[in-house]
Amino acid sequence: MKRTFSITTLGCKVNQYESEAMSELFEEKGYMKVDQETEVADIYIINTCTVTNLSDRKSRQVIRKAKRENPESIVAVVGCYSQVSPEEVASIEGVDIVLGTTERSDIVNMVENFQNNGEFINAVRSLDGDYEFQPINISKESDMTRAYMKVQDGCNRFCTYCIIPYARGRIRSRSISDSVKEAKRLAEAGYKEVVLTGIHIGSYGKESGKSLIELIESIADVEGIERIRMSSVEPMTITEEFLQRAIATGKFCDHFHLSLQSGCDKVLKEMNRRYTTKEYKEVVDLIRKYMPKAGITTDIIVGFPGETDEEFEITRRFVEEIEFSRIHVFKYSIRDGTPAAERTDQIHGEVKHSRSQKLIELNEKLMKKFASEQEELEVLFEEKIEDKYVGYSTNYLRCAIKSADDLKNITKSVRIVSEENEPFEVVLS
């Protein structure tokens, strides 16, 4: 009888990618994946997040739940929480293996070593002086048409609210040749869109003299890949040359997730964000000069320590001025070990909630406005949900259409007929 495993993923797209890759490693060795929500597993892999103290708490809850479900199981805890707090993770009852943000390609061997000798394994090591990207590849993904590809790890920025540079180490980039090999494997598997992801992909290649646009151009040469999309980038990554070269590939999606975090220069400075609102707006204007229908999405943190009502209002007006196609709103949450956590001017939870609600309501208006301005969209349909096929346009509008034909993994020209709810209802144009 095959041994079973489950992987629980907490946190970002990079973690999701790495979980998919670890899952493949287990399946290649003959293990069978099961859903932790519905089935008991022999092996539990918990891929943790440590962005906030709440993330740590959630990770601990999932770890304890796994051991309760099967006291005889092997529990391996990997990821950012393990990297930052290995002793704390090791002290949780039932944890058998602790692995950080490196050496995940050895996860199956570690599990089998524990099976053979029953000795606790702590494989977390220091990231100091670690400048080599550790590839962990995906050749297939779950039943989707977009494939995430991790091309970068680490961050050198040290924003005052963020623990990630300590969890992921310094910037490290995947080679262009290895990235192209994975793109070819994904194209052969039928994937038409590749989403480039990493901890700070704008820094791609900085340590080796390469650049993100060179990577995009190389992947664009892969036959079968029709779309290339970026995950979140810092605004100063985008230059006129970048846009000209990206457009020239004929495959680059007109969607930019430009990190903002605050629309107030004073707060940006206290966050150690390395741009001003003026510079940010100049980048947005440049994008719209070359790609008038581009979707521009962002993240906003409300309630950063010391943020006044006036400073929040400056952010709200800036968001309104930029007219984002979507904003993701986060209430600031303390993360021990960061400078912002030490501040004594923390914002009350009710204030953060009120500010969050105001931006969420503004987001609804901005999304509808952006959708109403679209004339024709190219949508790659990914899946069927009930009686509709659902997919994304190049500029990242989620669309749905009724069709008697099988539209999965098919691109169609459509127009929006209702902007009331997402996914937006479309018809063939």
Side-chain angles (χ1 to χ4, degrees):
M1 182 176 171
K2 283 187 177 181
R3 299 215 75 189
T4 58
F5 74 97
S6 76
I7 297 185
T8 301
T9 308
L10 303 166
C12 66
K13 296 293 185 185
V14 174
N15 270 12
Q16 292 176 31
Y17 174 93
E18 291 165 348
S19 289
E20 287 284 352
M22 287 188 287
S23 181
E24 279 195 26
L25 293 174
F26 277 99
E27 289 172 336
E28 286 168 2
K29 286 290 189 75
Y31 293 83
M32 183 172 69
K33 187 175 183 179
V34 297
D35 183 353
Q36 186 182 353
E37 296 301 316
T38 58
E39 298 179 73
V40 173
D42 300 313
I43 302 157
Y44 291 95
I45 311 298
I46 318 297
N47 195 359
T48 61
C49 175
T50 193
V51 170
T52 66
N53 291 352
L54 291 175
S55 302
D56 289 355
R57 186 190 307 167
K58 175 65 174 174
S59 295
R60 292 192 293 270
Q61 290 171 347
V62 174
I63 293 164
R64 293 186 178 110
K65 180 184 176 189
K67 206 65 175 185
R68 285 198 306 270
E69 288 179 350
N70 182 3
E72 302 303 314
S73 65
I74 296 172
V75 175
V77 184
V78 306
C80 293
Y81 179 33
S82 297
Q83 184 67 47
V84 172
S85 306
E87 293 82 10
E88 187 174 304
V89 172
S91 70
I92 300 171
E93 187 176 355
V95 173
D96 302 306
I97 300 167
V98 183
L99 182 63
T101 55
T102 62
E103 277 72 55
R104 272 159 298 197
S105 57
D106 288 334
I107 183 69
V108 179
N109 290 334
M110 291 183 192
V111 166
E112 292 180 346
N113 284 340
F114 183 86
Q115 284 174 340
N116 292 333
N117 57 40
E119 293 181 4
F120 173 78
I121 297 172
N122 183 347
V124 178
R125 63 171 177 78
S126 170
L127 298 176
D128 291 344
D130 193 348
Y131 299 107
E132 292 294 320
F133 181 88
Q134 290 191 354
I136 180 168
N137 298 325
I138 290 179
S139 58
K140 61 183 178 63
E141 285 205 356
S142 54
D143 199 21
M144 301 288 281
T145 57
R146 280 183 299 147
Y148 288 92
M149 181 192 297
K150 181 185 170 187
V151 297
Q152 185 275 337
D153 209 339
C155 181
N156 295 356
R157 292 290 180 171
F158 293 94
C159 297
T160 59
Y161 54 83
C162 186
I163 198 73
I164 295 304
Y166 304 95
R168 289 281 177 169
R170 300 299 182 265
I171 58 171
R172 308 179 300 284
S173 303
R174 187 178 192 171
S175 71
I176 289 179
S177 60
D178 192 52
S179 300
V180 168
K181 284 179 184 175
E182 181 163 347
K184 288 179 178 177
R185 288 196 297 269
L186 291 167
E188 289 166 2
Y191 293 95
K192 294 183 178 180
E193 181 177 320
V194 168
V195 184
L196 305 180
T197 190
I199 299 301
H200 187 246
I201 66 167
S203 66
Y204 177 87
K206 289 283 174 37
E207 73 278 27
S208 62
K210 298 296 182 182
S211 67
L212 181 59
I213 190 59
E214 289 179 77
L215 174 68
I216 290 168
E217 289 171 332
S218 298
I219 293 174
D221 288 335
V222 175
E223 187 177 349
I225 298 298
E226 297 178 2
R227 290 180 171 186
I228 300 171
R229 193 184 298 276
M230 296 186 302
S231 59
S232 176
V233 293
E234 296 262 324
M236 307 319 290
T237 303
I238 309 303
T239 63
E240 192 153 24
E241 180 190 1
F242 181 99
L243 291 169
Q244 290 170 343
R245 291 171 66 175
I247 291 168
T249 67
K251 296 183 178 182
F252 186 78
C253 288
D254 52 345
H255 167 228
F256 299 82
H257 189 81
L258 296 181
S259 300
L260 177 60
Q261 309 306 355
S262 174
C264 172
D265 286 332
K266 177 177 175 288
V267 177
L268 284 175
K269 186 175 182 180
E270 292 175 355
M271 288 178 167
N272 197 32
R273 303 294 291 175
R274 303 182 189 191
Y275 49 84
T276 64
T277 53
K278 180 177 181 292
E279 290 170 329
Y280 190 100
K281 187 175 186 306
E282 287 171 353
V283 170
V284 171
D285 291 343
L286 186 63
I287 290 169
R288 287 176 172 156
K289 170 186 171 183
Y290 282 93
M291 298 179 173
K293 296 297 183 182
I296 298 177
T297 58
T298 200
D299 300 320
I300 304 286
I301 296 173
V302 298
F304 183 78
E307 182 188 54
T308 65
D309 289 340
E310 292 76 16
E311 288 163 356
F312 168 73
E313 181 59 23
I314 290 170
T315 289
R316 192 198 63 77
R317 288 199 301 266
F318 187 72
V319 168
E320 210 165 30
E321 178 187 0
I322 294 295
E323 293 190 328
F324 291 101
S325 56
R326 179 196 300 266
I327 58 174
H328 299 279
V329 185
F330 299 91
K331 290 176 278 192
Y332 170 77
S333 184
I334 290 174
R335 182 40 174 106
D336 292 340
T338 62
E342 302 301 317
R343 292 181 56 162
T344 58
D345 51 354
Q346 301 292 329
I347 305 298
H348 194 278
E350 289 181 5
V351 175
K352 288 190 279 191
H353 178 74
S354 173
R355 292 176 184 175
S356 174
Q357 286 302 116
K358 288 177 182 177
L359 286 188
I360 289 170
E361 289 170 10
L362 177 56
N363 177 56
E364 291 296 318
K365 295 176 184 176
L366 292 175
M367 285 178 62
K368 288 179 182 180
K369 182 177 187 298
F370 182 71
S372 70
E373 294 169 346
Q374 307 305 307
E375 296 171 359
E376 187 171 88
L377 299 168
E378 294 296 313
V379 174
L380 175 59
F381 290 98
E382 296 183 352
E383 57 185 335
K384 191 173 186 180
I385 300 176
E386 296 178 348
D387 61 340
K388 295 179 180 178
Y389 286 92
V390 179
Y392 284 90
S393 63
T394 57
N395 58 359
Y396 208 60
L397 285 173
R398 192 164 183 249
C399 301
I401 191 171
K402 288 185 178 180
S403 175
D405 299 326
D406 184 357
L407 296 183
K408 185 174 178 180
N409 214 17
I410 301 293
T411 301
K412 290 287 186 180
S413 295
V414 302
R415 58 183 176 84
I416 295 175
V417 293
S418 173
E419 302 94 24
E420 280 309 302
N421 297 296
E422 194 189 31
F424 301 110
E425 185 180 344
V426 298
V427 295
L428 296 178
S429 59

